[in-house]
Each structure stands twice: as C-alpha cells, then as structure tokens.
Amino acid sequence: MTRDAPGEPATATVQRHRWHTAASYDQATGRIQRRNAALVARLHPEPATVRRALDIGCGTGALTEELLGTLPAARITALDVSADMLARARTRAAGPHAHRVEFQLGSFLGPQLFHSRPANATGTGEQFDAAFSNAALHWMYPRYDDCFTRVHRLLVPGGLLCMASAGRSAATDAFDRRVRAATEHVTPGTGEDFTQRRMTADEVTAVARRNRLEVDDVFLVERRYVVSAAAYATWWLASGGPWQTDPPQQEHAVELLAGVLGGPEAELEMVHASVFAVLRRPK
C-alpha cells in the first residue's frame, strides 16, 4: 500500500488494528492501491472458469470491485477483520453485480473461518476455484506458513491464488534502514521493522513450495516517488505507522516523524515494492 501525493490525515484505529478510518485510508493509499488491485484481478489466466472466489483481506474493496469486472461468472466471498473497512467495501461494490458478493467479517487465520458453512462431499468444508489478495498477506507475518497452508486447504485441486504483498529488494532494504535510523530515537521500543514483513520472489516461492503450492508465476514490481517528509509521514501512519501501541495523536505524529526526516518540506525518495505471484494447488 502506498500513495502518490500528500494524503489525508490518519485517525483512530479499527478493531485493535493500527490503520485509520476506511474513508481516510482510501484517500491515503492513492493510485498504487488501485493499480495493484487491477493487476492482481487480471493474473488469473482463465477468469471465465472461476465460479467461487475468495478475496483475502479485502479492505475497502478495491480488489473486490475489480474482481466483479474480471470474473464474469464468480460468486465472491470478501473477507476482512475490520467492520469499518467492510462497510465501505459494500458501498463500493453496490451496483448491478452486488448480489455476487458476500462480505464476511473475520480473520483469515482465525479458527472460526467459514465455520458456519456445511462441509462439502469430501468433508473439507467450503472450497474456492480461486483466491485473490492485495496488500493483506504481509500483515499475517510471521505466520506465512499457516497462511499458505490454509490457502492450500481452501482451494479446489487446480485452484489458484493470485496475490500481491509487500515486496523486498535491495532498494527497499536501503530505504527502510535510512528511515529507521532517522526515526528510531522518537519511537523507542515501539518501532516496527517493516522489512521483516516483506518477501522477495524467492521467499514467496520457498514458502509456497513448503506448503504444497506450485508456482506458476512470481515477479517483483518496484516503484519510486519523490515526496515531502510530511507526505511520507502521513502515508506511513495511514499504512500502520511505526507505533504498535499507544500512538501519538495524528497531528503530533506527522510533525514528529517529518521533523526527524528533515522537516515537513524536505524531500525524500520513497521506494515501494510489491511481489506478485500466481500459485496453484496441484490436482
């Protein structure tokens, strides 16, 4: 998740998560969120064959909206942990195809996922022809093996996971180091090293294969933007922020982070990377 221009203020978190409100989140994430969603929705090589699809971590519905256009015959289950995000996603999906989407509140790794659904003939519970995810799987760190094991279980044999998650490259590592060095003294003991959530293409391949998923395709997209320190601080807070607990008020947090990054008008080159993959459950 990232943004292209100065965004809107971050506000309170939702359901113990660090993101701000759904409305502000949409404004802060900008074009990259929509571009990645459009790309993920088009990764499936045979979209007309998909009858049941799962959107993992649908957020405010950017990917769900794309899937309604690219999967002409699919019924879509859109899952997210935030009721606030789901409410906005429902509004976004309103229209002639809204009846094809079911929104479900819950955690993908939670023990009660789809617990109300009857088991199928094989006794494995509900399964999907395809699963899709944009900018959500990195929030499941460090449980990537659990995540991909659950994907394997939820896909029908031959089913695909089409995904985008936080990507890792030499440039993202260097950028993260610079930001961490500049900000660690104002986030003592609370700052999160987001680098640990990022995956390279090789790491996605390894975790997929460990969990019995074949790799049809995997690639990294790296983007760079010159933004003001204040714009970057606003985006960072919108995407979770460095404080895992007890964050400052939004205005103070932007001022604090921008100040140690050179001042609110100082410019920095922001590096953003996403790793995309098409993973298949073997038949």
Side-chain angles (χ1 to χ4, degrees):
M1 298 177 289
T2 189
R3 51 178 315 285
D4 298 276
E8 296 299 315
T11 56
T13 57
V14 177
Q15 289 199 351
R16 298 180 308 181
H17 289 268
R18 305 196 304 277
W19 304 297
H20 54 26
T21 64
S24 298
Y25 172 85
D26 269 351
Q27 293 172 320
T29 53
R31 287 186 301 163
I32 289 297
Q33 178 77 340
R34 296 189 296 273
R35 286 178 178 176
N36 279 8
L39 179 52
V40 170
R42 289 161 178 78
L43 287 176
H44 199 289
E46 299 178 288
T49 66
V50 178
R51 294 295 183 269
R52 291 290 291 116
L54 174 64
D55 183 354
I56 303 169
C58 69
T60 58
L63 178 55
T64 311
E65 184 179 27
E66 291 287 343
L67 292 174
L68 284 172
T70 58
L71 304 177
R75 294 191 63 82
I76 301 165
T77 297
L79 176 75
D80 201 84
V81 296
S82 168
D84 189 28
M85 296 278 188
L86 286 177
R88 190 163 181 87
R90 286 189 183 94
T91 300
R92 194 169 190 163
H97 300 289
H99 65 281
R100 294 201 285 122
V101 185
E102 174 193 5
F103 292 97
Q104 182 167 338
L105 179 66
S107 167
F108 182 66
L109 293 178
Q112 300 302 313
L113 181 67
F114 308 128
H115 66 284
S116 62
R117 313 298 178 82
N120 58 24
T122 64
T124 57
E126 183 169 14
Q127 290 184 298
F128 299 88
D129 303 305
F132 298 82
S133 186
N134 178 43
L137 297 185
H138 49 256
W139 294 112
M140 300 182 194
Y141 174 86
R143 297 181 61 188
Y144 290 146
D145 283 297
D146 293 339
C147 175
F148 281 56
T149 293
R150 178 153 288 188
V151 167
H152 181 279
R153 178 174 65 80
L154 289 173
L155 288 175
V156 301
L160 296 180
L161 167 66
C162 303
M163 58 164 279
S165 190
R168 184 173 186 175
S169 66
T172 63
D173 281 355
F175 178 75
D176 287 347
R177 284 195 298 270
R178 290 198 301 273
V179 170
R180 188 163 61 250
T183 62
E184 60 185 357
H185 69 284
V186 298
T187 58
T190 64
E192 178 188 353
D193 179 8
F194 193 84
T195 300
Q196 63 193 352
R197 297 183 180 273
R198 302 186 190 276
M199 287 190 284
T200 65
D202 286 344
E203 287 168 338
V204 171
T205 297
V207 72
R209 289 176 174 169
R210 279 200 308 269
N211 295 285
R212 299 180 294 158
L213 293 171
E214 297 175 348
V215 179
D216 284 12
D217 196 10
V218 61
F219 58 95
L220 190 86
V221 175
E222 185 179 287
R223 300 175 175 101
R224 296 167 182 258
Y225 303 96
V226 176
V227 297
S228 71
Y232 174 72
T234 301
W235 167 85
W236 191 7
L237 292 166
S239 300
W243 291 279
Q244 296 189 58
T245 58
D246 300 322
Q249 291 295 316
Q250 189 269 339
E251 295 83 359
H252 179 59
V254 170
E255 180 181 2
L256 190 64
L257 293 174
V260 297
L261 290 170
E265 301 305 319
E267 292 187 336
L268 67 158
E269 185 180 56
M270 174 180 168
V271 183
H272 180 276
S274 299
V275 59
F276 294 82
V278 180
L279 310 176
R280 183 183 300 272
R281 175 176 173 172
K283 292 183 177 180

